[in-house]
Amino acid sequence: HIDLLCKLKQYNKILPCLKENQSYPYEECLKKCLDHKVTDASIFLYQSMGNEQAALNLAIRELKEILDKIIECLKNNDINEYEKLITEHGKIITECINICENSNESSEEKENENEKMWFDVLQIFYDYRNTIKSVVIDNSNSKVYLNEFSQQISKDIEELFEKMYAYTGIKKIIARVSEVNKQASSKELKPVLRNLLKGYGYLNTIS
C-alpha cells in the first residue's frame, strides 16, 4: 500500500496510513519514503525505529532547505511563496522540538545525546541569523519581510531556549551558549536568561 501511494505521488496520505496501521515493515517503508522524499513519514518511521538522531538530522535538513527557499523568495520578491514557506517553517521547527523532547531518556549516554540534539537545532538558527545579515535586497517591500523573518528567527531562538531549559538545565544552556554560540547577542539572550533564572533565584546576577 505504501509503495502504491508513493507511485501515485499521494504523499500526504502516507503518514496517516502509517499511524493507523503499525504492522507495516518499517525498514521497507522507510526506504520507499526516503527515495520519494516523503519527509514527515520518514521522520515518523525513524522515531518508531528508535533512531531519534536520524529523525532530527532529516528534520534539520528539511529546515535548512525551507530557510534557503525563504531567502530566495525574498530576493525575488515572491511574497506569496514566502508566506507559504513561513507556515512550513513553523511546522518543521515544531517537529524538531518534538523529536528532541521525545528523545529524552534517563541514561547518561542518552542525556548527552539529547543535549547535543537540542544544541544542533539551536546552531541552525544562529547560522541563518548570520546568513540573513549578509543578504542584500533592493526591493523595499522584500526588505520589510526580511526584517520580519529576522525577528522571527530571534523569536525562534528565544522559544528554543525556553524549551531546552527543561531538558538541559539552565547552567548548561548558559555555558554552552557562551562557549559554542558566541554570536548570540546579549540583547537577545538577556531577556530569556532573566526569565529562566527567576526560578533559581539568580535574577540579580544579570542586572
Side-chain angles (χ1 to χ4, degrees), residues 14-127:
I14 294 176
L15 180 58
C17 186
L18 289 170
K19 288 183 175 180
E20 289 174 6
N21 188 347
Q22 298 187 18
S23 64
Y24 288 113
Y26 282 166
E27 291 187 6
E28 292 180 22
C29 291
L30 177 61
K31 186 179 184 307
K32 294 291 182 183
C33 290
L34 290 173
D35 287 344
H36 288 267
K37 297 183 178 180
V38 188
T39 303
D40 59 352
S42 298
I43 289 172
F44 170 79
L45 289 166
Y46 272 130
Q47 287 186 282
S48 298
M49 295 165 67
N51 195 340
E52 290 90 356
Q53 185 63 63
L56 182 64
N57 290 343
L58 188 56
I60 287 176
R61 188 177 73 187
E62 180 79 359
L63 179 59
K64 286 180 178 179
E65 290 177 359
I66 290 172
L67 290 170
D68 285 339
K69 289 177 182 177
I70 286 173
I71 291 174
E72 195 62 30
C73 283
L74 292 175
K75 287 181 178 179
N76 296 325
N77 195 32
D78 187 349
I79 303 307
N80 288 335
E81 185 64 21
Y82 162 80
E83 291 177 344
K84 293 177 184 177
L85 289 168
I86 284 294
T87 300
E88 294 303 311
H89 164 265
K91 289 179 181 178
I92 198 65
I93 288 173
T94 299
E95 190 71 69
C96 288
I97 289 173
N98 288 342
I99 293 169
C100 291
E101 289 179 328
N102 293 334
S103 73
N104 187 55
E105 294 188 26
S106 58
S107 70
E108 183 176 350
E109 181 180 356
K110 285 293 184 180
E111 286 179 2
N112 291 336
E113 289 178 6
N114 181 252
E115 288 173 12
K116 179 183 179 300
M117 291 168 71
W118 282 107
F119 285 106
D120 284 348
V121 177
L122 180 62
Q123 189 62 48
I124 295 298
F125 291 116
Y126 283 132
D127 290 344

Side-chain angles (χ1 to χ4, degrees), residues 46 124 136 144 151:
Y46 272 130
I124 295 298
V136 178
V144 172
Q151 292 176 356

Side-chain angles (χ1 to χ4, degrees), residues 139-191:
N139 185 282
S140 59
N141 187 44
S142 288
K143 284 181 179 179
V144 172
Y145 284 97
L146 180 64
N147 182 58
E148 176 189 274
F149 183 49
S150 179
Q151 292 176 356
Q152 182 59 53
I153 292 292
S154 292
K155 288 180 181 178
D156 290 336
I157 291 173
E158 290 183 12
E159 290 174 5
L160 190 60
F161 277 139
E162 293 175 1
K163 291 285 186 180
M164 291 170 67
Y165 162 63
Y167 298 91
T168 65
I170 184 63
K171 293 181 180 179
K172 287 185 179 180
I173 291 178
I174 294 173
R176 288 293 299 274
V177 168
S178 299
E179 177 186 354
V180 181
N181 300 297
K182 290 184 172 62
Q183 65 268 48
S185 65
S186 59
K187 180 180 179 182
E188 176 183 78
L189 188 56
K190 188 173 180 179

